[in-house]
Amino acid sequence: MGDGHGSGKVLNIKTADIKSAAPVFQKQSVQLSNALKLLIKTLDGYGEPWGDDKPGKKFGKDYSPNQKKLEQVTGIAILGLVSIHEALDDLADGHVDNDEAIAGIFTKGTKETKEKHQGGGHGEGAE
């Protein structure tokens, strides 16, 4: 800290960057969800389509016992992507609200200071 490296900025949050990144996570969650649905539908529809040869048997041996766990983990990943999308939207909205609140504080303080210096409070112009 304080060693002179870096830009000196604590945070450099650009709301537009956050808002543009959020939909990417939504899009990816939809694509992953569609891929999972296709995988489940296709494999369940065909039974065990990987065949009876050596590679097919190896795949079936590895895949079948882990199928439900794979589907659950993928479902969790989908929810995670949706959550990131929502969190980024909330972060951007909160950042805008915070900026507006801070701007309001400084605007209010500036207005009150001007009024005091223009005779609105220290006996100047008072009768």
Side-chain angles (χ1 to χ4, degrees):
M1 287 187 4
D3 60 358
H5 299 319
S7 66
K9 294 180 182 177
V10 176
L11 292 175
N12 187 14
I13 299 172
K14 292 185 175 80
T15 307
D17 291 344
I18 296 170
K19 289 232 178 239
S20 69
V24 172
F25 289 93
Q26 177 65 25
K27 180 180 177 184
Q28 296 303 319
S29 71
V30 169
Q31 289 179 341
L32 185 56
S33 178
N34 290 339
L36 178 61
K37 288 176 196 172
L38 180 62
L39 176 70
I40 293 169
K41 180 181 172 184
T42 302
L43 291 182
D44 285 352
Y46 288 129
E48 295 180 355
W50 37 85
D52 209 19
D53 59 356
K54 187 175 180 179
K57 286 180 181 178
K58 180 175 178 356
F59 176 83
K61 180 182 171 205
D62 292 339
Y63 178 75
S64 293
N66 296 306
Q67 179 181 1
K68 292 299 175 198
K69 187 178 282 188
L70 172 70
E71 292 168 4
Q72 288 174 334
V73 169
T74 306
I76 291 168
I78 292 166
L79 293 175
L81 290 168
V82 170
S83 295
I84 292 170
H85 169 251
E86 292 171 355
L88 286 174
D89 276 345
D90 290 346
L91 176 66
D93 293 343
H95 187 64
V96 169
D97 292 345
N98 188 48
D99 282 353
E100 289 172 356
I102 291 170
I105 291 168
F106 286 110
T107 302
K108 181 180 177 186
T110 303
K111 182 178 177 183
E112 290 173 357
T113 303
K114 283 182 181 179
E115 287 175 359
K116 284 182 182 179
H117 289 288
Q118 292 174 352
H122 294 293
E124 295 176 31
E127 295 180 7

